[in-house]
């Protein structure tokens, strides 16, 4: 090759490199619509992704994979494990062997474990540049705090959801007993007791209960009336970070729950109810008040079941009653991420693949990619009318699995209103109720603290308090025991320090 030809080739290479760089820069600044705005150029790169989920179709029927592959010039290989235990085992095997997927789902505990083993990529340096679109999409600085360990970010939390849980009450039972919708704690107790004792379904049998639920979470929507939150949760009260176990209002709440039980206002089987048994009782007409998400009571399939049992059954959403601490629905965990995705540290040595992972995350966080992983293909699974997404019949039939590719989450409220247009009023009610915000999702557990052991002991003793098996006068003894034998004192001290450092409380 003569010098002139070699010089010409070098110039062509430099021009091509410049064009590729310009294309990448365009993608970053314009929302990552694709690696280069459509059919991505360059080397086709395989990305292996793992998560705990179910419902993934075979690759030939997986139109999301096909569209992502085309847009990003990639070969995305997603493995979804329906069992969390199977997923954990597979992930551990991969971690131990050093054969890591390029992107994988983690919860808080997994993130802490793998970070301590130095297996995760520190994403902090990339958040304001390569991953800026992702960071903005999931909620900015506040969101990335959920995935911090020692001030560094080791995963991408999904965009936050919206509250869906409220209490529901049988309006037709209220009417039958000539009762009003309860507004206060005392009215609530009276109504729940009447549902259990006064034959609201009129069948002449004492076969109904008042408030039902699963375990102690049955009472979750009532803590707010005392100005506190679920047992063991951290929140800001009077300007300071507080763990609710040490909040004096917790004893008041426990005393009220015991009075509900003593009055016969609560389903006597709440501690035995498993899975969705409380929902089954509501559907079968056995219970009059339930704390549940809207989807499990007013989705069309459940409405049909309820009407089959009793065509006159009318469930309405119930705002939590007022109490001495105010009127709040169940607490809302602002620090929790539905799930998170991490990148292995080993990808630092494969810049090309790392860039492709970033492109994928940016793409599903941009307009085009986000709509693909929310609703499917435009013109097939949805149409855009007057700027709004309108579902076609095919969306329900074919796009039920697209959430598996929502690695950075979705704009929850807009998404739900498209997919569940008939339930919009219930979605709005659930998401708009006032709630106290809890912060546990931001907290990393200190060494020596076993959260499972502490929670087990907490539930055992709270059950005793609620059912009168242990007097509330022994509550201080309970705090001493959990604080000293479960390392709970160390946990609380560490959590408050962490939350203060993140800007919560004094």
């Amino acid at each position: 090759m003569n010098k002139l030809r070699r010089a010409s080739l070098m110039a062509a290479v430099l021009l091509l490199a410049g064009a590729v760089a310009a294309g990448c820069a365009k993608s970053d600044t314009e929302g990552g619509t694709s690696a280069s705005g459509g059919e991505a150029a360059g080397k086709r790169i395989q990305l292996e992704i793992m998560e705990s989920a179910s419902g993934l179709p075979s690759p030939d029927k997986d139109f999301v994979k096909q569209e992502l592959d085309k847009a990003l010039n990639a070969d995305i290989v997603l493995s979804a494990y329906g069992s969390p235990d199977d997923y954990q085992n597979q992930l551990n095997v991969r971690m131990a062997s050093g054969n890591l997927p390029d992107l994988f789902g983690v919860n808080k505990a997994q993130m802490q474990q793998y970070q301590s083993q130095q297996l995760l990529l520190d994403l902090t340096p990339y958040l304001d540049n390569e991953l800026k679109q992702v960071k903005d999409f999931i909620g900015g600085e506040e969101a990335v705090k959920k995935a911090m360990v020692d001030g560094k970010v080791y995963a991408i939390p999904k965009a936050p959801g919206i509250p869906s849980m409220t209490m529901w009450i049988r309006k037709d039972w209220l009417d039958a007993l000539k009762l009003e919708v309860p507004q206060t704690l005392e009215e609530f107790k009276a109504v729940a007791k009447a549902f259990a004792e006064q034959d609201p379904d009129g069948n002449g049998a004492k076969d109904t209960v008042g408030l039902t639920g699963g375990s102690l979470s049955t009472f979750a929507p009532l803590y707010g009336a005392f100005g506190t939150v679920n047992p063991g949760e951290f929140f800001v009260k009077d300007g300071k970070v507080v763990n609710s176990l040490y909040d004096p209002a917790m004893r008041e709440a426990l005393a009220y729950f015991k009075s509900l039980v003593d009055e016969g206002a609560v389903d006597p089987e709440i501690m035995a109810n498993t899975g969705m048994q409380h929902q089954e009782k509501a559907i079968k007409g056995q219970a009059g008040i339930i704390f549940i998400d809207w989807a499990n009571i007013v989705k069309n399939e459940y409405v049909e079941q309820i009407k089959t049992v009793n065509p006159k059954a009318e469930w309405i959403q119930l705002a939590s009653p007022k109490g001495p601490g105010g009127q709040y629905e169940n607490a809302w965990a602002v620090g929790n991420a539905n799930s998170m995705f991490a990148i292995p540290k080993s990808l630092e040595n494969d810049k090309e693949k790392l860039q492709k992972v970033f492109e994928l995350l940016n793409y599903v966080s941009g307009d085009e990619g986000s709509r693909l992983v929310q609703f499917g293909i435009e013109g097939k699974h949805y149409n855009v009318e007057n700027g709004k997404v309108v579902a076609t019949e095919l969306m329900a039939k074919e796009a039920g699995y697209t959430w598996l590719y929502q690695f950075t989450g979705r704009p929850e409220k807009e998404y739900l209103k498209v997919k569940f247009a008939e339930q919009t009023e219930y979605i709005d009610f659930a998401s708009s109720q006032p709630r106290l915000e809890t912060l546990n999702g931001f907290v990393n557990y200190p060494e020596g603290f076993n959260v499972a052991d502490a929670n087990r002991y907490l539930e055992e003793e709270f059950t005793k308090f609620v059912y009168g098996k242990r007097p509330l006068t022994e509550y201080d003894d309970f705090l001493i025991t959990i604080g000293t034998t479960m390392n709970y004192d160390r946990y609380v001290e560490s959590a408050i320090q962490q939350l203060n450092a993140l800007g919560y409380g004094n």
Side-chain angles (χ1 to χ4, degrees):
M1 183 182 297
N2 60 43
K3 289 183 179 179
L4 179 60
R5 187 180 177 195
R6 192 157 49 227
S8 299
L9 280 173
M10 183 61 70
V13 168
L14 290 173
L15 282 171
L16 177 61
V20 170
C24 291
K26 181 180 180 182
S27 175
D28 288 342
T29 56
E30 292 188 357
T33 54
S34 76
S36 59
E39 291 285 348
K43 181 182 175 185
R44 182 177 172 87
I45 294 177
Q46 184 180 83
L47 297 182
E48 187 183 3
I49 304 169
M50 284 176 55
E51 64 179 313
S52 177
S54 58
L56 184 68
S58 57
D60 62 311
K61 297 178 180 175
D62 186 350
F63 64 83
V64 179
K65 166 191 162 52
Q66 294 161 12
E67 293 297 314
L68 289 175
D69 286 352
K70 188 166 57 178
L72 299 167
N73 194 26
D75 176 16
I76 293 174
V77 181
L78 175 62
S79 299
Y81 294 85
S83 162
D85 289 341
D86 285 348
Y87 177 69
Q88 180 70 71
N89 292 335
Q90 288 293 330
L91 201 54
N92 285 341
V93 169
R94 298 290 297 268
M95 291 293 178
S97 65
N99 177 25
L100 309 179
D102 305 309
L103 184 69
F104 51 96
V106 290
N107 57 32
K108 189 84 171 179
Q110 290 167 330
M111 184 188 69
Q112 276 191 253
Q113 176 192 340
Y114 298 139
Q115 184 277 333
S116 69
Q117 297 170 281
Q118 299 185 332
L119 294 171
L120 302 184
L121 179 66
D122 174 13
L123 299 175
T124 316
Y126 305 102
L127 290 172
D128 291 328
N129 295 294
E130 291 88 343
L131 293 173
K132 184 178 186 308
Q133 176 158 346
V134 172
K135 180 180 172 183
D136 292 343
F137 180 77
I138 64 174
E141 291 291 342
E142 196 70 12
V144 297
K145 290 178 181 176
K146 301 172 186 176
M148 277 186 174
V149 179
D150 297 332
K152 296 181 179 178
V153 178
Y154 288 96
I156 299 294
K158 284 190 174 184
I162 57 174
S164 62
M165 302 281 287
T166 62
M167 283 199 289
W168 294 75
I169 191 168
R170 282 285 295 267
K171 176 67 166 53
D172 56 312
W173 284 13
L174 287 171
D175 294 341
L177 299 180
K178 302 188 185 310
L179 296 170
E180 299 293 327
V181 174
Q183 304 287 332
T184 67
L185 287 172
E186 289 310 308
E187 291 173 1
F188 180 85
K189 185 192 303 181
V191 166
K193 183 180 179 183
F195 282 177
E197 295 180 346
Q198 297 180 24
D199 191 22
D201 58 359
N203 67 356
K206 191 174 180 180
D207 56 357
T208 56
V209 299
L211 173 64
T212 190
S215 71
L216 294 178
S217 65
T218 303
F219 304 110
L222 300 172
Y223 289 102
F226 297 90
T228 195
V229 294
N230 294 318
E233 292 184 334
F234 292 90
F235 69 121
V236 175
K237 188 170 189 176
D238 299 328
K240 296 183 180 299
V241 174
V242 174
N243 181 291
S244 66
L245 292 188
Y246 302 87
D247 182 359
M250 181 57 72
R251 301 177 201 224
E252 298 177 47
L254 284 173
Y256 176 74
F257 303 156
K258 181 177 182 301
S259 74
L260 285 177
V261 171
D262 291 345
E263 292 282 353
V266 180
D267 175 3
E269 297 176 336
I270 62 168
M271 299 308 295
N273 287 341
T274 58
M276 296 301 288
Q277 280 184 294
H278 56 306
Q279 180 212 34
E280 293 172 15
K281 289 181 176 179
I283 291 174
K284 291 178 179 176
Q286 298 170 346
I289 305 173
I290 188 171
F291 174 57
I292 199 167
D293 62 300
W294 60 264
N296 274 303
I297 199 160
V298 289
K299 280 177 70 173
N300 293 343
E301 62 194 275
Y302 298 123
V303 170
E304 289 179 12
Q305 292 179 34
I306 291 169
K307 294 300 182 185
T308 299
V309 175
N310 183 354
K312 295 183 179 179
E314 182 183 2
W315 283 98
I316 61 171
Q317 280 168 302
L318 175 66
S320 289
K322 297 174 185 174
Q327 184 176 22
Y328 300 97
E329 279 290 343
N330 62 308
W332 179 239
V334 295
N336 280 357
N338 291 333
S339 61
M340 300 185 284
F341 280 85
I343 299 171
K345 184 176 175 59
S346 56
L347 277 201
E348 282 183 324
N349 300 321
D350 190 341
K351 300 293 186 187
E352 200 172 26
K353 180 169 281 193
L354 179 60
Q355 178 60 31
K356 190 62 71 176
V357 174
F358 289 164
E359 286 177 14
L360 170 64
L361 294 173
N362 280 319
Y363 184 66
V364 297
S365 303
D367 290 343
E368 180 181 294
S370 182
R371 281 189 177 178
L372 169 66
V373 298
Q374 288 183 74
F375 308 119
I377 299 173
E378 184 175 357
K380 182 176 182 181
H381 302 107
Y382 72 92
N383 294 309
V384 178
E385 299 176 4
N386 298 321
K388 293 185 178 180
V389 174
V390 179
T392 67
E393 289 186 3
L394 274 183
M395 183 188 288
K397 293 178 181 176
E398 296 183 354
Y401 76 95
T402 60
W403 66 275
L404 294 168
Y405 288 92
Q406 294 168 5
F407 305 122
T408 58
R410 62 198 184 203
E412 186 72 4
K413 201 164 188 176
E414 294 81 355
Y415 169 84
L416 291 176
K417 287 185 175 182
V418 170
K419 290 218 165 181
F420 303 99
E422 294 179 30
Q423 287 79 24
T424 294
E425 66 175 297
Y426 310 114
I427 296 168
D428 284 339
F429 183 94
S431 62
S432 64
Q433 297 303 296
R435 288 174 168 82
L436 295 171
E437 295 182 341
T438 58
L439 308 170
N440 290 52
F442 294 120
V443 175
N444 296 307
Y445 301 130
E447 192 172 345
F449 174 67
N450 187 316
V451 65
D453 288 347
N455 285 343
R456 190 180 307 112
Y457 178 70
L458 190 160
E459 179 163 326
E460 289 173 356
E461 298 310 301
F462 265 53
T463 303
K464 292 177 185 176
F465 289 132
V466 169
Y467 283 90
K469 304 296 184 185
R470 185 176 184 182
L472 270 171
T473 52
E474 293 185 8
Y475 191 82
D476 286 337
D477 295 332
F478 156 74
L479 290 180
I480 292 171
T481 301
I482 196 171
T484 55
T485 65
M486 304 279 172
N487 284 325
Y488 207 83
D489 286 345
R490 184 190 303 174
Y491 166 55
V492 171
E493 181 181 3
S494 171
I496 291 175
Q497 289 177 357
Q498 292 178 57
L499 292 169
N500 287 163
L502 291 176
Y504 297 102
N506 297 324

